């Protein structure tokens, strides 16, 4: 299993090639691909993407209270199926998922041998999809979103993150909050634990100009070396973060255990 | 009524008319993501002066779950006559 971990991801071309409106790749590392998808599409494209959904997904789409949320769900799911289908070389409708204990979707057992991991996030009409051969988590937020960021930070962030955020000039706190939030979300999404993983148990960077990094993990200190974080700016006005498992480095010399 | 307070906090955070929200509504149907979720928890904790444990807060998936978590947190602080209902 470990042998194939260094295999780069395949270069895929979308149906429609360069003129495809589905999305564009915003990160070109051979081992991690990130696609950006605009979720406001025309009625014909929405209808086309809807036909790729499973019956259960179509039923989920029908239950949204707001029409726009339903449309964004359909577009994000349809784009996810289309892109995964390109990597797996199957039609979008044949991509199948299973769900982890905390709801993280992963590829169904029948695709396990392909060793393809993915994670999806969307906010305010824009989605990011990360693909890798190692565990991966991604998050995106719209920077103009109005939230009570100081109240939330005080309640949920770690003490050092909170202190760092409150030390920023007032005008920079909102962006600092979203950098911190997306990095924390990306990490716990990579773990597959959802927010059941205590948010205050680990620290990430948040100050302007400081690269994304997992600074401390109190539950298991070795975790900081296991994850790499990457800043993403998919479009002005949005902030994104990616957490990807660092490739296991084999020891230089065989270990003699006895 | 707790149901009404929860509905009104969710309606305010999500800018959805209250009449569209029922006890059975799930977070997904209402478009509540994780950031909305923590905002709703913070609002309720402040309004009722209670603390909802993280492991409960982050397992909530529906309006009914929120009402139940709130009721249980209020029971935990039932010694306070200002918020005791009985």
């Amino acid at each position: 299993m470990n042998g194939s971990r260094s295999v780069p991801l395949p270069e895929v071309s979308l149906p429609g090639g360069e003129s495809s409106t589905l999305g564009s790749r915003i990160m070109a590392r051979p081992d991690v691909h990130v696609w950006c998808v605009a979720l406001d599409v025309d009625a014909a494209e929405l209808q086309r993407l809807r036909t790729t959904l499973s019956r259960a997904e179509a039923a989920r789409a029908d239950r949204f209270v707001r029409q726009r949320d339903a449309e964004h769900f359909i577009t994000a799911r349809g784009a996810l199926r289309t892109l995964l289908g390109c990597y797996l070389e199957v039609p979008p409708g044949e991509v199948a998922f299973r769900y982890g204990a905390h709801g993280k979707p992963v590829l169904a057992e029948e695709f396990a041998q392909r060793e393809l991991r993915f994670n999806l996030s969307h906010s305010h009409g824009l989605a990011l999809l990360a693909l890798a051969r190692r565990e991966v988590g991604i998050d995106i937020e719209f920077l103009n979103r109005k939230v009570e960021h100081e109240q939330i930070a005080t309640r949920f962030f770690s003490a050092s993150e909170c202190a760092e955020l409150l030390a920023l000039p007032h005008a920079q706190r909102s962006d600092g909050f979203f950098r911190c939030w997306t990095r924390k979300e990306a990490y716990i999404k990579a773990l597959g634990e959802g927010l059941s993983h205590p948010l205050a148990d680990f620290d990430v960077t948040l100050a302007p100009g400081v690269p994304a990094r997992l600074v401390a993990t109190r539950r298991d200190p070795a975790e900081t070396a296991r994850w790499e974080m990457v800043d993403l700016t998919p479009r002005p006005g949005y902030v994104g973060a990616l957490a990807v498992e660092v490739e296991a480095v084999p020891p230089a010399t065989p270990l003699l255990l006895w | 009524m707790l149901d009404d307070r929860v509905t009104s906090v969710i309606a305010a955070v999500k800018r959805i008319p209250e009449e569209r929200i029922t006890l059975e509504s799930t977070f997904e149907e209402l478009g509540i993501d994780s950031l909305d979720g923590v905002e709703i928890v913070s609002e309720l904790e402040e309004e009722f002066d209670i603390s909802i444990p993280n492991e409960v807060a982050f397992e909530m998936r529906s309006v009914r779950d929120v009402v139940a978590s709130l009721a249980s947190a209020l029971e935990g602080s039932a010694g306070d006559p200002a918020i005791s209902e009985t």
Side-chain angles (χ1 to χ4, degrees):
Chain A
M1 184 166 164
N2 283 336
S4 62
R5 288 199 160 197
S6 54
V7 176
L9 292 166
E11 288 302 320
V12 307
S13 28
L14 293 175
E18 290 295 307
S19 64
S20 172
T21 54
L22 191 67
S24 57
R25 211 162 109 197
I26 61 162
M27 187 165 151
R29 255 168 63 161
D31 59 333
V32 188
H33 291 182
V34 176
W35 290 83
C36 181
V37 178
L39 299 178
D40 287 308
V41 297
D42 64 34
E45 178 72 347
L46 185 68
Q47 188 49 41
R48 191 192 68 76
L49 289 167
R50 194 184 166 95
T51 62
T52 69
L53 269 50
S54 69
R55 281 169 69 174
E57 288 166 341
R60 270 170 77 181
D62 290 339
R63 288 194 292 266
F64 282 89
V65 165
R66 291 190 298 203
Q67 186 59 28
R68 201 151 191 238
D69 290 342
E71 291 173 7
H72 286 175
F73 172 80
I74 292 166
T75 312
R77 264 298 154 134
L80 172 65
R81 286 179 162 278
T82 305
L83 283 162
L84 285 172
C86 291
Y87 283 83
L88 298 168
E89 298 171 284
V90 298
E94 285 178 26
V95 175
F97 303 104
R98 63 188 172 85
Y99 294 87
H102 297 279
K104 182 183 183 180
V106 294
L107 286 168
E109 202 58 43
E110 64 203 270
F111 298 109
Q113 79 282 5
R114 309 295 288 270
E115 290 204 43
L116 186 64
R117 313 294 171 88
F118 70 91
N119 198 229
L120 178 75
S121 174
H122 65 93
S123 178
H124 201 75
L126 208 60
L128 292 180
L129 168 65
L131 301 110
R133 297 208 185 275
R134 291 161 279 137
E135 289 300 343
V136 66
I138 198 162
D139 196 53
I140 178 174
E141 281 297 342
F142 180 54
L143 287 168
N144 263 344
R145 183 169 175 176
K146 298 286 172 258
V147 295
E148 296 289 337
H149 42 84
E150 285 178 28
Q151 184 183 332
I152 293 171
T154 309
R155 168 68 175 80
F156 293 100
F157 287 2
S158 72
S160 64
E161 288 165 343
C162 214
E164 200 173 340
L165 184 67
L166 295 178
L168 293 179
H170 211 269
Q172 293 180 16
R173 282 189 203 161
S174 177
D175 284 8
F177 170 85
F178 284 113
R179 278 192 296 273
C180 188
W181 176 264
T182 51
R183 290 167 193 181
K184 291 177 92 64
E185 277 273 288
Y187 172 56
I188 55 179
K189 286 180 73 189
L191 289 176
E193 296 182 5
L195 289 173
S196 59
H197 186 101
L199 282 174
D201 266 17
F202 61 98
D203 306 333
V204 297
T205 51
L206 65 87
V210 178
R213 193 163 66 86
L214 186 58
V215 179
T217 44
R218 281 169 283 281
R219 198 164 69 174
D220 174 5
E223 275 284 285
T224 52
R226 190 159 81 92
W227 299 95
E228 177 185 1
M229 279 197 171
V230 182
D231 283 307
L232 301 167
T233 308
R235 190 179 281 189
Y238 290 81
V239 63
L242 172 83
V244 61
E245 202 179 14
V246 173
E247 196 148 359
V249 181
T253 51
L255 286 173
L256 293 173
L257 294 178
W258 54 76
Chain B
M1 278 288 282
L2 291 184
D3 304 13
D4 296 337
R5 285 311 306 144
V6 168
T7 301
S8 122
V9 165
I10 292 175
V13 168
K14 287 307 297 178
R15 297 178 192 92
I16 292 175
E18 290 190 24
E19 60 271 20
R20 301 291 305 272
I21 302 171
T22 72
L23 263 185
E24 309 311 322
S25 304
T26 65
F27 279 14
E28 178 171 280
E29 291 159 20
L30 298 173
I32 294 172
D33 65 13
S34 47
L35 188 49
D36 292 321
V38 300
E39 190 157 32
I40 290 164
V41 169
S42 307
E43 290 288 327
L44 290 172
E45 286 182 333
E46 192 160 288
E47 177 169 336
F48 288 93
D49 191 23
I50 48 153
S51 172
I52 298 173
N54 279 351
E55 61 272 23
V56 175
F58 293 135
E59 292 302 324
M60 300 187 310
R61 296 284 179 272
S62 68
V63 176
R64 187 179 291 282
D65 291 348
V66 183
V67 173
S69 310
L70 181 58
S72 143
L74 282 169
E75 211 164 278
S77 58
D80 182 349
I83 50 172
S84 174
E85 286 189 336
T86 49

